[in-house]
Amino acid sequence: CVSVFSSIGNQNKDIHSIAGLVPFREWRFFESQLQLLVEMRHYFDLHHNGSEEFFPEPLDVLMHGHTRLHELIRIHGGKIHLAQKLDMKFAWELTASESNNDNPPNSNLRWGSFNLNFAIKLLHFIRSQYLVLDPPLSSLTISMPSEKDLLRCGLDELALQVERYGGYENVARRLGLACFDGKNQEMEGRTCRGARLLWRERHEDGVLSSTSSKGHASGRKRQGLAWDENLVIEELHAYVKVNMTKRSLPSYVMPRFRHLDEDERGDLRRSISKFGGVKHIRDKAGLISIEEWETKYEPV
């Protein structure tokens, strides 16, 4: 395989282009940025009472033990760049003003209003759509969905928020996504058509968001089936596959009962209790607890 890949590489053709896959570096950036936003949201909840007003000083982040977040801030441009892009004030400006220092260069540059929860929800949606596609893809670039794409998936509020935070092109630029709206004259026609086709294919193939109420695409129980232990395990697997990633958890952890209630899956919660309880069903399903995952998980 290595010799074949090397031979193809020598012909100036990348493997991802031939296989119709998103390039590794682009996907790594996408995942890393999503992790940055999730880690930052978690940091604000722990140390800023949930407020996004001030971007944290990286040294404070490190002192609080958030080494991965500290590293992600560095990777994605540093505190000034990220504070401007995410519409946050500089926490270190207070210290600077007290010591009569000048503000950092370009400290008045702003991108406009923004919100972490909005960005996380949008990126989770895009991620979930790409994970169910089968190669070769018609476009190898991770692209911003259009308003029609969001509305088609029942994400009306998300579509409104895109407009609130500057429109589709502005949001795409902030999050490093390609935006094929047909207005960019420099955009190659074939690339633009390919990206539009990619999003359309997702929906024609039945790829739906977790807001859908049909079948296992939303983790919902199929009608007309009586509960037993096997069905509980099958429904649990379908649920975690769809609903745990939006909480930044892997699909092999056991959801808490409050997660099931939040997603209106009281039927599954009651059935878990009826057919042996959390530990019994968790072991039967081959899942681990969130506490065990948090203990063993080490960000890479």
Side-chain angles (χ1 to χ4, degrees), residues 132-287:
V132 295
L133 290 173
D134 293 323
L137 307 182
S138 55
S139 174
L140 309 185
T141 305
I142 301 177
S143 59
M144 177 80 182
S146 68
E147 181 180 23
K148 289 183 179 179
D149 297 321
L150 296 177
L151 295 178
R152 190 185 291 117
C153 286
L155 299 174
D156 301 46
E157 178 61 26
L158 196 59
L160 290 174
Q161 288 179 317
V162 171
E163 296 294 344
R164 184 184 310 158
Y165 297 124
Y168 287 81
E169 183 176 357
N170 187 33
V171 170
R173 288 180 182 276
R174 287 197 203 216
L175 299 178
L177 303 170
C179 183
F180 304 116
D181 58 1
K183 297 177 182 178
N184 189 346
Q185 299 299 322
E186 298 178 359
M187 180 65 63
E188 183 184 351
R190 182 178 177 182
T191 303
C192 182
R193 290 193 300 273
R196 287 179 173 175
L197 176 62
L198 179 68
W199 277 103
R200 187 166 67 248
E201 285 173 345
R202 297 173 194 178
H203 308 294
E204 290 175 349
D205 291 342
V207 179
L208 300 174
S209 73
S210 60
T211 58
S212 169
S213 60
K214 298 180 180 179
H216 274 199
S218 63
R220 300 259 178 217
K221 177 177 177 289
R222 291 162 291 176
Q223 298 296 320
L225 296 179
W227 284 107
D228 58 23
E229 184 178 280
N230 290 333
L231 183 58
V232 171
I233 294 173
E234 183 180 344
E235 291 295 323
L236 181 59
H237 283 155
Y239 172 86
V240 296
K241 183 178 180 181
V242 171
N243 292 286
M244 298 312 281
T245 55
K246 70 182 182 182
R247 296 183 170 90
S248 300
L249 292 169
S251 60
Y252 54 82
V253 300
M254 182 73 179
R256 296 190 173 107
F257 277 172
R258 65 177 176 83
H259 296 152
L260 299 173
D261 291 335
E262 289 170 0
D263 294 319
E264 300 180 357
R265 288 307 309 268
D267 57 336
L268 182 55
R269 176 175 57 79
R270 291 188 294 271
S271 297
I272 290 173
S273 299
K274 179 179 179 181
F275 290 98
V278 172
K279 186 178 185 304
H280 173 75
I281 295 297
R282 183 186 69 211
D283 293 342
K284 283 284 188 177
L287 305 176

Side-chain angles (χ1 to χ4, degrees), residues 33 47 107 151 204 298:
Q33 179 179 229
H47 306 292
S107 63
L151 295 178
E204 290 175 349
E298 293 183 7

Side-chain angles (χ1 to χ4, degrees), residues 39-40 60 63 84 87 122 138 161 273 275 287 298:
E39 292 273 358
M40 190 169 293
D60 293 339
M63 288 176 58
Q84 293 168 344
D87 187 37
L122 177 62
S138 55
Q161 288 179 317
S273 299
F275 290 98
L287 305 176
E298 293 183 7

Side-chain angles (χ1 to χ4, degrees), residues 14-69:
D14 294 326
I15 296 297
H16 75 266
S17 299
I18 298 172
L21 301 172
V22 173
F24 169 74
R25 288 184 177 180
E26 181 168 350
W27 185 260
R28 182 174 61 178
F29 169 83
F30 179 86
E31 290 277 9
S32 176
Q33 179 179 229
L34 177 55
Q35 186 180 11
L36 166 69
L37 299 177
V38 171
E39 292 273 358
M40 190 169 293
R41 178 68 269 167
H42 179 60
Y43 180 88
F44 286 142
D45 289 339
L46 288 178
H47 306 292
H48 289 202
N49 295 319
S51 173
E52 300 177 16
E53 182 178 5
F54 291 97
F55 192 93
E57 167 60 54
L59 289 179
D60 293 339
V61 172
L62 201 57
M63 288 176 58
H64 284 112
H66 296 263
T67 54
R68 180 56 178 165
L69 176 57

